[in-house]
Amino acid sequence: MGFTFQINHEVDFTHDSGMLSEADQSRPKLISQTVHANYVVTIGRAKKEGKHATPTQIQDISALAASSYGRSQSVILDFGQHYVGYFSVNISAVGSPMDAPLYLHIRFAEVADELAQKPEDYNGWLSRSWIQEEYVHLDELPATLSMPRRYSFRYVELTVIDSSPKWQAQFENPTVRAVSSADDARLPKLATADTELKQIYSVSVRTLHECMQTVFEDGPKRDRRLWLGDLHLAALADYATYNQTDLVRRCLFLFAGLAATDGRIPANIFTGKEPEADDTFLFDYSMFFVSTLSDYYKHTRDHETLDRLLPAAQTQIDLALQYVDEQGQLNLPDNWPVFIDWSDKFDKSSCAQLILIYTLKQFIGLLQECKQSTESYRNYVDILSQYVLVSRRDSKTGLITSGSKSEVNVATQAWTVLAGVLPRIDAAKLMRQTINQLFPVRGIATPYMYHFIVQALFEAGLRDEAIAEMKRYWGKMVELGADTFWEAFDPDDWFYSPYGNSIISSYCHVWSCTPAYLIHKYC
Amino acid sequence: MGFTFQINHEVDFTHDSGMLSEADQSRPKLISQTVHANYVVTIGRAKKEGKHATPTQIQDISALAASSYGRSQSVILDFGQHYVGYFSVNISAVGSPMDAPLYLHIRFAEVADELAQKPEDYNGWLSRSWIQEEYVHLDELPATLSMPRRYSFRYVELTVIDSSPKWQAQFENPTVRAVSSADDARLPKLATADTELKQIYSVSVRTLHECMQTVFEDGPKRDRRLWLGDLHLAALADYATYNQTDLVRRCLFLFAGLAATDGRIPANIFTGKEPEADDTFLFDYSMFFVSTLSDYYKHTRDHETLDRLLPAAQTQIDLALQYVDEQGQLNLPDNWPVFIDWSDKFDKSSCAQLILIYTLKQFIGLLQECKQSTESYRNYVDILSQYVLVSRRDSKTGLITSGSKSEVNVATQAWTVLAGVLPRIDAAKLMRQTINQLFPVRGIATPYMYHFIVQALFEAGLRDEAIAEMKRYWGKMVELGADTFWEAFDPDDWFYSPYGNSIISSYCHVWSCTPAYLIHKYC
């Protein structure tokens, strides 16, 4: 995920070598697999009637070496599935001796539609350096072109910018050395017989697989780093599938080792040669450190890790509680904004309040595991919940409101259920009212927020409605040909991107893989 | 140099391992020198009034690290002199942690004007892969960017296509590891006191220096290979300056080792990992194998090399003589065209005839050195010369004509003098008449052909006129700021390029370095 840019140069970060060394010990080995391209395809060049461009003419890969390519000619390879890895291809010159370098443009795309858009038209606010394209000169052929950078793709477009009138380029054996730390041998068998759910599950697992590198990367195309909100959900999906809990442990230690000197855990970490905290803070993400630790402990019973990380969790809670007033209302400062979802079209203050309750309860559970006193925190749960139920409940509909204009939105209702401020029977009522009044969901375009909505439906006991919503949202992506689930998807606007241009969107995003967890847990 | 593309797939080439192994034995070691950029400069973006763009604002290189560069910002470095080599620069990120790759566009330019033109506007007929530009992504900073390809440049433009709003790129220590096989310690002192000639000489020597790699490359920017016409002149310049005769020997053996199976020596050779003949044949270039061998022998008295290479020289002559008819006229077949100059605006048939006479005489000289019979060849000199003097002399002006329309052009007069078909006194008359009638030279735009015109003036005894012409032509390039002499230059059209676009032109071309020889020999 991302957010409106925060620039906080003045913030200093700790580098707790003990924590970082624990993270290092849990660093996974990457598993490599060599995969050959399957097809040569043609992709339409323009958006038509608001629809994604998809492969049209499809030929066997043998068509590749049967052709040669001169100035401005191109070919698109289809690897048949999404891969994260290192591309190589053999290139030779056909015709007279090679009297000029070969100048190639290479594009990598997770979905066919990326190739229908022109990189030079990009005008979004994220760096255009994320567009997966390279320009390469080869001075001598034959040669094997082995790209040193890692890409995330199913399709590769090779365009000969120029050879010379005397010879053309010929391509053979396009290959990806795919990498992931996920071990498919560990996958359990899925019990459900529902074909649609099976498909959704399978695409979820592939999404998780691709994002499992040396951390849970948010997206292997972009941003290729560890976000806490994403980790929270990725870990749940991992427990339900690969169950490689060491990777979660590693990520927890990375966050704890790179907290700001005021104790706040940053929203994300760059995990290059040396892990480094981003100077970005999101309230809900900091809180989800507690959730991730709680989920991890519940799943693994790894008490040693809990002992090591409990203080960091406590710090997040204590820092947050500073901003709770006497009425039990959370009032966040500007330097700790809440994310909730990419959309800025709804008020998020009640969600922040509810997430604090949600994580506070998880924290109390952890304190109990460590035989520590919980009383003062319990009081906070009470006054925070009381505020919601007394001051934020619409007397007519029973829905929870948010902000000074008492706005009613889907996200708030979902978090009300997840925070457990209502008895289950009231939660069911709330979600039924939500469905009546606020469905179909509008203005939310991330699988991340959809996850919490669907989970709230399940938790409220509305299993059929939850499954229907899951099929409506993730199922639509499958119907549109998704090999992995997309960072952002608006069923009403297929080209929606939080970044002003969908060429930069990540089409394999770990926060989108939670149906694997939801189906495993609730179906 | 280049030529309208010839494609001769059907021609087979010998790979004489004995010859090629001799070439290998004379392979020079490259001398490396590390050079740091001197200045940060600004260059105007557009042609103005037909003038080249030149550096305007000039700052010390310390200005580089004092700035940082974000999306679409660029900086131009000036190394103060022309270099051939490997560029590197240290790059760091300034600001927040690096949250996206750095995407850089790097351009290398021999002259400032190249940077005023846009690569995307290139529409010439040579491969655009020759434009010296690269696009590079750097995933982690700080890093030292070391470009693996060799470039030919004085200026380097670094453009940040994108960093991110959170950080900018900072550049430090731009360096070139310059390479050449020319050893400056071997340079003799120039005797002349003429400042202008001194400058011309010095730029000539630098041109030769840059082109002296593992062969005499025609241009280290483009084509980076060994052309025979260029070798003929480069060798003469070498004898007058560096006197690294082994490099000439190497090039002669390369050509002899890669003749076509019919014996013709190709116009050029690719000298990558494995030397390879181009399937291009130019009559005059094949003939200049004889000239280059003759000049080499005269300068070195290396009789062993002469013995080994004489048969290849003889083959060129014998093949050419097949096309001489009973009237003593040379009639070339289509598959062995004559080059003479890039211009196609004048008839070249008499030049071809005269070059055959010129090389035939040199060949006879070589036969004499080897104590071989020369009689049949002498007869050919006679009938070929007779044809020129009887059938090709304009009775009014005394000038030599060319082609069916009896055209009179400068190139023919120059080659008439060089071929020695006239006594010296008549040669002087001819060149005076040429000056009167055909000067200033028009429609010839290569220093290659200008060389022969100036040499003809010297040979005809018109020393002042020769020096004036040299100053008018090469001196003009110096006046325009040339660090090395250009492949093509038309004093009447500064943007002339044989390729339809001057961005692709080579601004350091070995065939342009002959003033070093002319000044040494005649001044």
Side-chain angles (χ1 to χ4, degrees), chain A residues 268-317:
Chain A
N268 70 86
I269 284 171
F270 302 100
T271 56
K273 278 174 218 142
E274 289 300 323
E276 188 179 10
D278 187 16
D279 58 357
T280 295
F281 297 91
L282 299 173
F283 172 76
D284 40 350
Y285 277 37
S286 296
M287 291 302 113
F288 288 140
F289 181 80
V290 180
S291 307
T292 311
L293 181 59
S294 168
D295 295 337
Y296 172 80
Y297 177 73
K298 274 191 200 153
H299 184 72
T300 61
R301 298 283 149 186
D302 173 359
H303 216 296
E304 201 180 320
T305 294
L306 173 57
D307 281 343
R308 289 290 299 276
L309 297 178
L310 190 67
Q314 183 155 15
T315 303
Q316 308 317 301
I317 295 291

Side-chain angles (χ1 to χ4, degrees), chain A residues 151-210:
Chain A
Y151 306 97
S152 180
F153 63 99
R154 169 173 172 166
Y155 302 98
V156 180
E157 183 185 59
L158 302 169
T159 302
V160 172
I161 296 178
D162 219 340
S163 56
S164 118
K166 295 191 69 167
W167 57 274
Q168 297 200 308
Q170 193 173 60
F171 302 101
E172 267 184 288
N173 198 27
T175 301
V176 58
R177 182 171 65 77
V179 291
S180 165
S181 57
D183 180 359
D184 282 332
R186 297 175 60 93
L187 282 179
K189 228 179 150 64
L190 179 64
T192 183
D194 184 317
T195 317
E196 219 179 325
L197 287 187
K198 267 188 180 166
Q199 280 182 317
I200 293 173
Y201 180 86
S202 143
V203 174
S204 294
V205 168
R206 185 71 197 171
T207 306
L208 178 61
H209 178 279
E210 297 294 88

Side-chain angles (χ1 to χ4, degrees), chain A residues 6 71 96 99 101 126-129 133-134 137 139-140 149 162-163 166 225 273 278-280, chain B residues 6 71 96 99 101 126-129 133-134 137 139-140 149 162-163 166 225 273 278-280:
Chain A
Q6 288 181 27
R71 182 186 278 194
S96 288
D99 63 347
L126 278 195
S127 178
R128 66 176 294 149
S129 64
E133 62 171 341
E134 306 291 350
H137 286 97
D139 291 310
E140 291 202 44
R149 300 178 74 220
D162 219 340
S163 56
K166 295 191 69 167
R225 63 181 116 130
K273 278 174 218 142
D278 187 16
D279 58 357
T280 295
Chain B
Q6 289 181 27
R71 183 185 276 194
S96 288
D99 63 347
L126 278 195
S127 178
R128 63 176 296 149
S129 64
E133 62 172 339
E134 306 291 350
H137 286 96
D139 291 309
E140 292 202 47
R149 300 178 73 220
D162 219 339
S163 56
K166 295 191 68 166
R225 62 181 118 131
K273 280 173 218 146
D278 186 18
D279 58 356
T280 295

Side-chain angles (χ1 to χ4, degrees), chain B residues 121-246:
Chain B
D121 294 343
Y122 177 71
N123 55 359
W125 55 276
L126 278 195
S127 178
R128 63 176 296 149
S129 64
W130 287 118
I131 299 170
Q132 298 187 118
E133 62 172 339
E134 306 291 350
Y135 291 84
V136 177
H137 286 96
L138 287 111
D139 291 309
E140 292 202 47
L141 297 178
T144 298
L145 174 65
S146 294
M147 304 298 288
R149 300 178 73 220
R150 200 196 72 186
Y151 306 98
S152 180
F153 63 99
R154 169 174 173 167
Y155 303 98
V156 180
E157 183 184 58
L158 302 170
T159 302
V160 172
I161 296 177
D162 219 339
S163 56
S164 117
K166 295 191 68 166
W167 58 273
Q168 296 201 307
Q170 193 173 57
F171 302 100
E172 266 184 289
N173 198 27
T175 302
V176 59
R177 181 171 65 78
V179 292
S180 163
S181 58
D183 180 0
D184 281 334
R186 297 175 60 93
L187 282 179
K189 230 180 148 63
L190 180 65
T192 183
D194 183 316
T195 318
E196 218 178 325
L197 286 187
K198 267 188 180 165
Q199 281 182 315
I200 293 173
Y201 180 85
S202 145
V203 174
S204 294
V205 167
R206 185 71 197 170
T207 307
L208 178 61
H209 177 278
E210 297 293 89
C211 297
M212 282 173 73
Q213 301 292 334
T214 59
V215 296
F216 292 98
E217 293 184 16
D218 59 336
K221 168 183 168 186
R222 199 219 83 245
D223 308 326
R224 305 186 204 153
R225 62 181 118 131
L226 176 61
W227 286 88
L228 226 172
D230 303 54
L231 171 64
H232 171 213
L233 299 190
L236 293 172
D238 173 63
Y239 306 147
T241 56
Y242 293 103
N243 198 24
Q244 294 178 210
T245 59
D246 230 29

Side-chain angles (χ1 to χ4, degrees), chain A residues 487-503:
Chain A
E487 169 184 25
F489 176 58
D490 183 344
D492 298 318
D493 172 11
W494 297 0
F495 289 94
Y496 169 77
S497 165
Y499 313 111
N501 192 310
S502 64
I503 200 174

